[in-house]
Amino acid sequence: MAETNRRAHLLFQGQRTFAKLPDTIDDLATIFADAGYELSLVGGPVRDAFLGLAIHDFDLTTSARPEETEKLLGQWSRTVWDIGRDFGTIGAHKNGLTVEITTYRQDSYEIGSRKPEVDYGDSLEGDLTRRDFTVNAMALRLPEKALVDPCGGLDDLVEGVLRTPVTARQSFDDDPLRIMRAARFTSQLGFDVSEDVMDAMGEMAGRLEIVSAERVRAEFERLMISGAPRRGIELLVYTGVADVVIPEVALLKDTVDEHHRHKDVYEHTLTVLDQAIALEDSENFEGDAAESLTSDPSLGGPLPGPDLVLRLAALFHDIGKPATRRFEKDGSVTFRAHDVIGARMAAKRMRAMRFDKQTEKDVARLVEMHLRAFGFGEHSWTDSAVRRFVRDAGPLLGRLLRLIRADITSQNRRKVSQLQAANDELAQRIVEIAEQEELEAIRPDLDGAEIMEILGLTPGREVGAARNYMLELRLDEGPIEHDEAVRRLKAWWSERQAQ
């Protein structure tokens, strides 16, 4: 009964969405039909319509070859592009609506090739059976709006399961990137994968090596910014795909200590990821200090989710632990310098995956700094230490404070409360000092031009050394009156000259 009700609900949602398709889509379909060609809405948009989600991407498929598609689109719009011609895709834009139309096709990889070969097909049903998963192998014929579902995609939507139209092994052999898409869709849709798909992911993970790093990274990014990235990560690790794509995370599974002398690093990492996501959008940051931090852009400001940098930092923050684990004579376990080593490992992995330079730099920096506030609640920090923390975090301050808070995963409720209180106190200290000193713009009390004029210098290393001295003075003591700053600079310069 529940399955019947869900099916009826999905059908209702789909029909309601399809009834509201833009008139311009109907106009386009009529142009193709009048020319003797088929045109259908296909894949993700059809799936999302049944799930009650708005259609943002109008992916269409046709029996027309690319050159004919381009001509017909030219009758519909003045803005047409053929950047995807090599893959059978032509795009166009009209009245705020962007469409991409692909000729019926099949993608396959030659041995040793990193780019798929394109073979054109002759029927909609044949095109659908070559797609990645049954839930993406549904189409809506236009303009009549008739559902075409040769692979049982609607049934699998009802069940919440990912299956392939053909055997999973054949599907992944045709396009290995589908292995990553399986993990991505488990996170994005909240679906499970069939046993056939799960087995094939493990068996064929090595085939991902023929796919370009950029395409693998794109799927990994989509997984990480989905609603539940933990599900996809767990699937990648369980099947062994992570050994190929993110081996540093996979290795965390081997850090389990059967004597329970330290926490399960893998489970801890997934929990930190979940908790970091919960801290996006500022909803779970509490207290006056946290409210100030998340509302003031200069001190971190709000962090609209999904935030890829924070999530990657949470996933990678402890990847240095397996390489640094040491069992001490007293029975304790240490992971000395795992933050620094982990930062290097994260940067290396992200370079291999072809992430952009800024994302790589930001994630590595957060991994490196995630322990910087360790012990704050046990030892009183001077104002100087707080200033240095803020200076070193720079524009990553908001993300770093969230990562530090997310990293609190102890089962001891009292310890968790103490650590969270320390986190709140640090935030409060930052706000208080910021209000007093405009902390977001920490600069020496004398700039380079003033230093050169006072000491009679020209640009060079000596000016840099003097500026660094003044910056350290600013961090240690806060703002200094101008005359006093000049006096201190001259005294430092005299001592330096006498050495």
Side-chain angles (χ1 to χ4, degrees), residues 15 18-19 21 25-30 32-34 37-41 104 124-125 139-148:
Q15 291 169 353
F18 296 144
L21 288 178
I25 293 295
D26 289 334
D27 295 340
L28 180 60
T30 300
F32 272 73
D34 289 346
Y37 295 107
E38 299 175 356
L39 186 71
S40 300
L41 186 68
Y104 298 156
L124 175 59
E125 289 76 5
L140 190 73
R141 285 191 186 276
L142 301 173
E144 60 267 36
K145 297 181 181 177
L147 178 65
V148 180

Side-chain angles (χ1 to χ4, degrees), residues 13 34 52 60 158 224 226 260 270 274 280 287 289 292 302 327 354 366 377 381 392 417 449 458 489 494:
Q13 291 182 140
D34 289 346
L60 301 158
V158 172
M224 290 300 297
S226 68
H260 305 291
L270 295 177
D274 287 339
E280 293 172 344
S292 298
F327 296 101
R354 303 292 192 273
L366 287 170
W381 276 24
D392 292 346
S417 297
T458 57
L489 174 64
S494 295

Side-chain angles (χ1 to χ4, degrees), residues 340-480:
V340 176
I341 291 174
R344 295 173 189 162
M345 294 171 63
K348 183 178 180 180
R349 175 51 47 197
M350 294 181 70
R351 274 195 302 275
M353 298 182 77
R354 303 292 192 273
F355 276 92
D356 66 272
K357 295 289 186 181
Q358 191 61 52
T359 300
E360 173 193 324
K361 179 180 178 181
D362 289 348
V363 171
R365 185 60 169 160
L366 287 170
V367 173
E368 182 182 7
M369 290 193 67
H370 81 275
L371 292 181
R372 282 288 295 272
F374 183 76
F376 173 81
E378 300 175 5
H379 308 285
S380 178
W381 276 24
T382 63
D383 287 351
S384 172
V386 175
R387 294 187 193 100
R388 291 174 193 276
F389 176 82
V390 174
R391 178 196 64 178
D392 292 346
L396 297 173
L397 177 61
R399 291 186 177 102
L400 180 58
L401 289 170
R402 286 170 171 84
L403 179 59
I404 291 170
R405 192 177 190 90
D407 198 21
I408 302 172
T409 65
S410 174
Q411 297 297 314
N412 186 321
R413 292 187 178 181
R414 180 178 179 184
K415 183 177 181 181
V416 168
S417 297
Q418 291 174 338
L419 291 172
Q420 289 179 341
N423 187 267
D424 289 339
E425 183 184 348
L426 175 58
Q428 182 65 45
R429 289 280 300 281
I430 292 172
V431 171
E432 291 173 352
I433 294 176
E435 291 174 348
Q436 298 170 6
E437 306 177 7
E438 297 182 356
L439 188 58
E440 73 280 3
I442 295 179
R443 298 183 180 88
D445 292 286
L446 302 173
D447 62 25
E450 291 176 296
I451 289 171
M452 288 190 287
E453 181 180 352
I454 293 169
L455 300 182
L457 299 174
T458 57
R461 292 182 179 178
E462 294 289 6
V463 178
R467 189 181 185 285
N468 287 338
Y469 165 73
M470 295 304 299
L471 178 59
E472 292 298 317
L473 196 62
R474 172 72 168 78
L475 291 168
D476 286 337
E477 302 183 19
I480 301 175

Side-chain angles (χ1 to χ4, degrees), residues 236-250:
L236 291 176
V237 172
Y238 181 79
T239 58
V241 177
D243 294 339
V244 177
V245 180
I246 44 173
E248 297 84 359
V249 175

Side-chain angles (χ1 to χ4, degrees), residues 98-146:
T98 297
V99 301
E100 289 190 345
I101 305 179
T102 303
T103 300
Y104 298 156
R105 69 181 186 179
Q106 173 184 11
D107 290 349
S108 61
Y109 283 80
E110 293 291 337
I111 295 176
S113 171
R114 288 181 176 269
K115 293 183 178 179
E117 299 291 331
V118 177
D119 296 324
Y120 295 128
D122 297 315
S123 71
L124 175 59
E125 289 76 5
D127 178 86
L128 294 176
T129 60
R130 295 167 182 143
R131 292 181 177 260
D132 54 4
F133 302 103
T134 60
V135 297
N136 296 328
M138 296 182 288
L140 190 73
R141 285 191 186 276
L142 301 173
E144 60 267 36
K145 297 181 181 177

